[in-house]
Amino acid sequence: MSAPASPTFAHPFRAYSPADFHFPLPDGHRFPYYKYAGVREVLRPHLPVPDPPTLSWTDAARVHDPQWLRRWRRGEVDRAEERALGLPWSPEMVERSRRAAGGSLAALHDAVSTGWGANLAGGTHHSFADRAEGFCLLNDAALLTRVALDRGLASRVAVIDLDVHQGNGTAAMLGPEARAFTLSVHGERNYPFRKERSSLDLGLGDGVTDSEYLEVLHRQALPAAEAFRPDLLLYLAGADVLAGDRFGRFALSLDGLRERNRAVLTWARVAAIPVVTMLAGGYNHDHELTIKAHASVVFDGLEVLG
């Protein structure tokens, strides 16, 4: 879908996405290149989609070990570290990770000023302070929490992580921070197989349907987040909860996923909480469905917040 020549937008919102997310990968690799360009093109007629800034190494060191960052910056990593990340090292891969996190940081400042910021990447919740895992090098949720608290942009931050995989890195990195609430609704039997302790973990069985999932969201997840009384929400809107995902074991429909998005965003709107949305995971066998699902959180945001 092509953008109009001179689009006119009647809202203050934008969504960050680099024009080119590519970096070298071996043939047949499962990293979902296609979805970033696809979501960008679907959304460009509906809101501005600027390139994100590159995250500075100084900002990355707010939450990551500086010596560890230096090794990744220089390519001084071993095969075991590459296997844990699931991606081969290259300067382009590191740059892509910095730009994805930079988009989340830019979206944080948009959220503070307009009520909503959107990154068409990010949600890299498997990264630890000194360890990369599961396609995640830099943990943007931990970084945004740290920046918001340190700079007085928020006093209490909630991370609602609805990716199908537990946000293990985020849970570990924010565990000691009393002003942060980490909530993860995930597949109990899915990756990561060694779970960390979030503020609230809601691990579900395989094959969860729309009605089962939404009941957990409404009866347990959102009331717990509300009880924390945050003044900033980071929402990881994973699309890997859909039926047919290569790495997920849930069975949600696109309608169910959109109802999930609208429930979270409506809660934030009613509570007057600024929200940052990040895409997180999505690896469906049906590539077009992955793109539609990821784009839906922005369409739902325009509907609920705009």
Side-chain angles (χ1 to χ4, degrees):
M1 185 174 187
S2 300
S6 300
T8 300
F9 305 105
H11 53 74
F13 305 124
R14 54 188 173 180
Y16 293 92
S17 175
D20 184 3
F21 254 121
H22 281 71
F23 54 90
L25 284 176
D27 291 343
H29 196 282
R30 295 181 292 178
F31 186 80
Y33 268 145
Y34 67 88
K35 70 180 185 180
Y36 300 105
V39 174
R40 177 186 176 94
E41 289 307 306
V42 167
L43 292 175
R44 282 177 61 201
H46 303 279
L47 80 173
V49 185
D51 282 357
T54 299
L55 184 73
S56 72
W57 291 107
T58 299
D59 276 333
R62 289 176 177 271
V63 291
H64 291 287
D65 177 77
Q67 298 296 327
W68 178 81
L69 290 173
R70 186 174 294 111
R71 291 198 302 107
W72 279 95
R73 183 178 186 175
R74 297 176 176 175
E76 298 169 352
V77 296
D78 58 34
R79 294 293 298 276
E81 290 175 298
E82 290 182 310
R83 284 195 298 271
L85 175 60
L87 300 169
W89 184 90
S90 67
E92 296 87 351
M93 185 277 294
V94 174
E95 174 68 11
R96 182 260 177 195
S97 299
R98 293 175 66 200
R99 294 184 72 194
S104 293
L105 185 57
L108 168 64
H109 294 291
D110 284 356
V112 171
S113 62
T114 70
W116 177 35
N119 185 14
L120 306 184
T124 45
H125 57 170
H126 296 311
S127 174
F128 288 74
D130 60 357
R131 188 166 84 247
E133 289 186 3
F135 299 160
C136 301
L137 180 63
L138 302 172
N139 191 309
D140 54 353
L143 171 64
L144 267 56
T145 300
R146 185 81 274 140
V147 168
L149 295 174
D150 288 352
R151 295 182 180 172
L153 304 178
S155 58
R156 296 168 70 82
V157 180
V159 181
I160 294 184
D161 188 337
L162 301 187
D163 190 279
V164 79
H165 306 108
Q166 193 216 29
N168 55 336
T170 307
M173 294 171 76
L174 295 181
E177 177 53 75
R179 295 170 295 172
F181 180 81
T182 54
L183 188 160
S184 180
V185 182
H186 55 263
E188 186 62 30
R189 298 175 57 195
N190 208 331
Y191 177 91
F193 301 108
R194 180 185 182 279
K195 306 289 193 290
E196 300 290 334
R197 179 176 293 180
S198 308
S199 302
L200 177 61
D201 285 302
L202 297 171
L204 308 180
D206 294 354
V208 168
T209 62
D210 291 351
S211 59
E212 296 167 324
Y213 189 97
L214 292 168
E215 182 175 7
V216 170
L217 182 68
H218 286 291
R219 290 182 177 270
Q220 299 182 63
L222 291 180
E226 184 173 3
F228 181 72
R229 302 186 66 182
D231 51 11
L232 174 66
L233 170 63
L234 308 180
Y235 175 35
L236 279 65
D240 44 10
V241 296
L242 290 175
D245 193 88
R246 297 173 70 183
F247 300 146
R249 298 177 181 175
F250 286 178
L252 271 67
S253 68
L254 183 59
D255 286 343
L257 180 139
R258 297 201 65 179
E259 186 172 346
R260 177 202 73 175
N261 291 339
R262 288 192 291 266
V264 173
L265 295 170
T266 299
W267 170 74
R269 186 201 67 201
V270 171
I273 302 169
V275 56
V276 179
T277 57
M278 295 165 276
L279 294 193
Y283 317 92
N284 212 279
H285 289 285
D286 182 343
H287 290 189
E288 288 301 316
L289 181 59
T290 300
I291 292 169
K292 288 179 182 177
H294 278 313
S296 73
V297 71
V298 177
F299 287 129
D300 294 333
L302 290 171
E303 176 186 319
V304 173
L305 304 172

